[in-house]
Amino acid sequence: MEKTCIILVGPTASGKTALAIEIAQYFKTEIISADSRQCFKELNIGVAKPSEQQLNTVTHHFINSHSIHDNVSAADFEQYALAATQQIFENNDVAVVCGGTGLYIKAFTDGLDEIAPTNSTIKNEIAEGFKQNGLVWLQNKVKEKDPLFWKKGETSNPHRLSRALEVFMSTGVSIIAQQKKIKKLRPFNIIKVGIEIDRQFLYETINNRVDVMQAEGLETEAKLLLPYKQLNALQTVGYRELFNFFDGTTNREKAYELIKQNTRHYAKRQLTWFKKDSEIVWLPKGEMLAYLKHKL
């Protein structure tokens, strides 16, 4: 059999973790997580990390692999995942990549463009400006300096905004203009599958999952992370809203309402991203394994 990487995608709360484990068990292989937050060992409940039992069932890579104090980028994931894939292929013909961070999956399958080097002083100034003045300041700076990114990029993600501003102020050219979109060839076959799920059912699942997170102690977890709220890893739905509650900006009930709302919005953005990829075959969870058995 040709070495093959199964890429399993879908929005948050669509059931990717359990399905990936089922697939990995059938093919007697391992899973590489493509989630930009589950890699941080300090984050658990708020990022819906697989349980200890699930992690013990199948070997997972890129889970609890980094600290919130590390700066982890899509380029870092690309290198990590390629190395993990090579390791898995030493003993298996199939590897499973599972996650909802679209840019990480794109980096792994297609590669990333080489962006011109940036100035570390400028990077530090932007980081300090964001720390002192917050997201709106960062958004206004990007809108003023790099209207091309503001039009086409992720305008609510502080990490992406900071990177865009850093690149523009260092090079004078928008990061968008530096993206050539030349696809790299990988030395293995890639099968992309996505979980097809009813939108209304997905939203109800998200709401229920937030209730479970609250019951499991999300608030306690967020309180322990409060001193680190300016770190990029904590610019995450589920934590940001509770930080505002701790600061007295909102009340508890409103904070949890916002977690549900912002998670639903995030799921919608994930679907929009993945639906642009014509290589993804969309199937209900119950049909996924049969399809993959047929393909392999």
Side-chain angles (χ1 to χ4, degrees):
M1 184 194 291
E2 185 182 359
K3 300 294 183 185
T4 301
C5 193
I6 296 167
I7 313 284
L8 174 63
V9 304
T12 188
S14 58
K16 294 186 297 295
T17 297
L19 182 55
I21 288 171
E22 184 185 350
I23 292 166
Q25 284 181 309
Y26 176 81
F27 290 107
K28 297 181 173 57
T29 189
E30 301 173 11
I31 296 169
I32 302 165
S33 166
D35 187 295
S36 64
R37 291 299 182 259
Q38 291 183 358
C39 63
F40 297 119
K41 55 179 178 274
E42 297 90 344
L43 309 186
N44 290 290
I45 298 169
V47 296
K49 193 176 283 180
S51 67
E52 282 298 318
Q53 183 185 354
Q54 288 174 318
L55 293 174
N56 290 332
T57 302
V58 169
T59 298
H60 283 69
H61 302 262
F62 209 66
I63 298 249
N64 297 326
S65 53
H66 294 74
S67 165
I68 54 174
H69 301 284
D70 299 327
N71 286 316
V72 183
S73 67
D76 294 323
F77 176 77
E78 178 188 4
Q79 296 308 312
Y80 186 106
L82 287 171
T85 306
Q86 190 174 3
Q87 179 190 324
I88 293 167
F89 284 155
E90 287 175 9
N91 301 304
N92 300 277
D93 290 326
V94 176
V96 178
V97 173
C98 168
T101 303
L103 186 61
Y104 279 25
I105 288 165
K106 184 177 185 298
F108 174 70
T109 58
D110 299 358
L112 293 170
D113 292 308
E114 294 291 331
I115 304 297
T118 58
N119 185 309
S120 59
T121 304
I122 288 172
K123 181 177 182 177
N124 292 336
E125 285 174 358
I126 293 167
E128 188 58 32
F130 171 61
K131 184 178 178 180
Q132 297 294 331
N133 305 298
L135 181 61
V136 174
W137 172 85
L138 190 56
Q139 289 171 324
N140 287 335
K141 280 286 184 187
V142 172
K143 194 187 299 186
E144 173 197 342
K145 300 280 187 185
D146 188 353
L148 182 60
F149 181 87
W150 185 253
K151 184 179 178 183
K152 295 188 173 184
E154 286 187 62
T155 56
S156 60
N157 184 318
H159 179 66
R160 306 266 180 268
L161 288 164
S162 296
R163 176 66 174 152
L165 190 57
E166 174 195 337
V167 168
F168 189 87
M169 291 179 68
S170 298
T171 68
V173 181
S174 173
I175 193 170
I176 299 289
Q178 297 188 48
Q179 293 168 343
K180 301 180 184 68
K181 297 181 173 60
I182 298 171
K183 187 173 180 177
K184 291 180 185 173
L185 294 176
R186 299 305 190 198
F188 46 82
N189 187 35
I190 292 173
I191 297 174
K192 296 180 183 178
V193 286
I195 296 175
E196 193 175 84
I197 187 167
D198 175 75
R199 189 74 62 99
Q200 193 54 46
F201 177 73
L202 175 65
Y203 290 168
E204 288 170 9
T205 304
I206 286 170
N207 292 341
N208 292 336
R209 190 171 76 171
V210 173
D211 290 338
V212 170
M213 286 177 172
Q214 183 176 7
E216 287 179 344
L218 177 58
E219 225 167 290
T220 303
E221 180 173 292
K223 201 162 280 183
L224 291 170
L225 295 164
L226 185 59
Y228 313 109
K229 69 176 186 176
Q230 291 297 341
L231 295 177
N232 179 59
L234 273 303
Q235 309 308 309
T236 302
V237 175
Y239 298 105
R240 280 186 316 215
E241 296 84 357
L242 286 173
F243 293 154
N244 289 336
F245 163 54
F246 299 149
D247 290 348
T249 313
T250 186
N251 60 43
R252 179 182 280 109
E253 186 182 356
K254 182 64 176 173
Y256 281 103
E257 277 178 26
L258 284 171
I259 292 172
K260 292 175 182 180
Q261 179 183 309
N262 292 335
T263 305
R264 294 193 301 268
H265 289 167
Y266 175 58
K268 189 176 179 182
R269 290 197 302 274
Q270 287 176 299
L271 283 166
T272 300
W273 174 289
F274 289 128
K275 290 291 185 181
K276 289 177 184 173
D277 187 343
S278 60
E279 294 177 1
I280 297 173
V281 175
W282 294 91
L283 295 163
K285 278 185 289 188
E287 298 176 19
M288 193 73 73
L289 188 55
Y291 171 80
L292 292 170
K293 287 178 188 176
H294 174 72
K295 291 291 286 185
L296 293 170

